[in-house]
Amino acid sequence: MSYVADAKRYDGAQFRRCGRSGIVLPPISLGLWQNFGGTDVFETGRAMVRRAFDRGVTHFDLANNYGPPYGLAEKNFGEILRKDMLPYRNELIISSKAGWDMWPGPYGIGGSRKYLLASLDDSLKRMGLEYVDIYYSHRPWMDVPLEETMGALAQAVRQGKALYVGISSYSPERTREAAQILQSEGVPLLIHQPSYSMLNRWIEQGLLETLDELGVGCIAFSPLAQGLLTNKYLNDVPANSRVTTENSSLFQSFMNEENLGRVRALNDIASQRGQTLAQMAIAWALRDKRVTSALIGARNVEQLDNSLDAIEKLEFSEPELKEIDRYALDSGIDLWRDAREGRG
């Protein structure tokens, strides 16, 4: 039986304005970073996309090298689109990115015009799309002129292959430069995608102010701190957890007693609020109205539903925020710092 979306999917749905653009995004968006590649079951990913859309999630975020292997998340998402979602294409915001490594050789990584535009063509083929709604420079490259990288994004818009453009993991200073270059090309910078969580608060040191001044939206990825801010690690590391998988972004070194102590304390606060730790972590990331959306991942529909239920309680009292601030401290888990600061 073919999929028919829930007719009530927008009843009570919330949306937030993306900067000063004409676009709104759901407060929680679904990312396909971890669980839509070869190590996971296609039908599980398909069920999650359906469920998310049925619950008012209109934004699905990908990148060229999501998998594993690289490219498979886009290929699988393209199959889900063909099987289920094509009748609803105009209701969707679909994004992709390029910047990290994708194929061998010097032209399969970086911020060059050649790489970004070739990668976009490949992404469109894998997903079976004529355009993406948002195309990102996935990370800055200090050895590539910013004018070239932003010029490639602007060219993608002029070619009709992207409607909007964004950047990810750029510092406040380079964000400002990127926005100015794009403006000179006649293409506004729509959105910035930084890592942000209760254990990784770098965007509070200038980036949010910069985005607000520029009228640029903010979609925070990894609000669950690569899974640390869930109930998985309150006692021990489960044998089948993400930290034990090859090439995981959740490093064993993150599981030190200091970090786990913070997680347990935050879990106690979440319990007092009547939320799971994951729900509170997502709600906390959204407490600042300058954050347009929180970008989550999920392994299955049950996890997805738990995270989406965060919107049922987004408000915090001042005493709650003060208590959270005792434990919501930078915890050495920012994997993207070196790229942002030009050291990796």
Side-chain angles (χ1 to χ4, degrees):
M1 181 177 178
S2 60
Y3 166 69
V4 177
D6 190 332
K8 298 182 178 180
R9 60 190 176 277
Y10 295 119
D11 290 0
Q14 301 177 35
F15 292 92
R16 293 185 174 194
R17 182 70 50 190
C18 189
R20 290 195 290 270
S21 76
I23 285 294
V24 295
L25 295 178
I28 300 176
S29 301
L30 182 59
L32 282 69
W33 177 21
Q34 293 285 344
N35 299 311
F36 287 78
T39 59
D40 297 278
V41 178
F42 171 81
E43 290 298 335
T44 301
R46 184 183 183 187
M48 285 193 285
V49 170
R50 288 176 164 190
R51 180 63 172 168
F53 187 58
D54 281 342
R55 294 197 57 178
V57 174
T58 55
H59 178 29
F60 298 90
D61 181 78
L62 300 102
N64 58 353
N65 64 355
Y66 288 175
Y70 290 172
L72 190 55
E74 288 184 329
K75 184 177 179 181
N76 283 343
F77 185 69
E79 188 66 17
I80 294 168
L81 284 172
R82 286 187 288 275
K83 289 179 179 292
D84 301 321
M85 305 301 293
L86 279 184
Y88 309 102
R89 174 63 181 99
N90 290 343
E91 298 181 43
L92 306 178
I93 297 288
I94 300 171
S95 60
S96 193
K97 320 177 199 73
W100 294 94
D101 58 304
M102 182 58 191
W103 60 79
Y107 316 121
I109 189 172
S112 71
R113 182 185 302 271
K114 178 176 176 61
Y115 172 49
L116 291 177
L117 294 179
S119 184
L120 177 56
D121 284 343
D122 288 349
S123 291
L124 294 175
K125 289 175 185 176
R126 281 190 289 269
M127 291 187 284
L129 294 173
E130 295 181 357
Y131 68 92
V132 290
D133 297 277
I134 307 170
Y135 189 51
Y136 287 90
S137 166
H138 204 168
R139 57 157 295 179
W141 287 90
M142 304 307 170
D143 59 349
V144 178
L146 196 54
E147 291 80 3
E148 179 172 347
T149 302
M150 294 304 109
L153 295 184
Q155 184 172 337
V157 172
R158 288 193 290 266
Q159 290 175 334
K161 296 177 181 179
L163 300 185
Y164 301 91
V165 299
I167 56 178
S168 180
S169 299
Y170 277 54
S171 68
E173 297 76 20
R174 288 184 73 83
T175 295
R176 190 177 299 277
E177 293 176 36
Q180 291 172 344
I181 295 168
L182 284 168
Q183 185 177 24
S184 72
E185 295 265 6
V187 175
L189 176 61
L190 175 75
I191 194 167
H192 188 299
Q193 187 176 131
S195 60
Y196 183 49
S197 72
M198 290 191 287
L199 302 180
N200 176 18
R201 301 182 63 167
W202 74 273
I203 71 172
E204 297 171 14
Q205 308 303 314
L207 182 64
L208 283 174
E209 291 84 352
T210 297
L211 298 179
D212 190 43
E213 180 184 335
L214 295 172
V216 174
C218 175
I219 180 167
F221 76 85
S222 202
L224 303 184
Q226 291 95 265
L228 260 178
L229 293 171
T230 68
N231 60 8
K232 295 179 192 175
Y233 307 106
L234 295 176
N235 300 310
D236 205 349
V237 179
N240 64 341
S241 75
R242 183 166 149 193
V243 73
T244 63
T245 60
E246 186 178 1
N247 299 321
S248 172
S249 64
L250 185 56
F251 294 164
Q252 186 73 45
S253 61
F254 298 167
M255 302 296 178
N256 58 69
E257 192 54 40
E258 184 177 17
N259 284 353
L260 293 178
R262 292 170 181 163
V263 169
R264 295 183 189 111
L266 291 167
N267 183 66
D268 289 341
I269 299 171
S271 296
Q272 294 167 16
R273 282 173 50 84
Q275 290 181 304
T276 66
L277 177 55
Q279 289 166 353
M280 186 180 79
I282 293 167
W284 181 90
L286 291 166
R287 78 199 186 286
D288 192 315
K289 300 306 180 185
R290 295 172 295 185
V291 176
T292 316
S293 186
L295 185 60
I296 65 163
R299 279 193 171 185
N300 51 49
V301 171
E302 181 182 8
Q303 278 190 7
L304 174 69
D305 276 333
N306 180 275
S307 293
L308 293 180
D309 286 345
I311 64 171
E312 296 177 3
K313 191 168 186 178
L314 294 178
E315 301 302 320
F316 290 84
S317 68
E318 285 303 319
E320 284 175 331
L321 289 174
K322 187 175 181 180
E323 182 69 6
I324 288 171
D325 277 343
R326 294 179 57 194
Y327 308 103
L329 304 171
D330 282 318
S331 302
I333 66 167
D334 185 359
L335 298 174
W336 304 271
R337 180 176 178 178
D338 286 349
R340 186 170 67 246
E341 297 180 354
R343 298 199 300 264

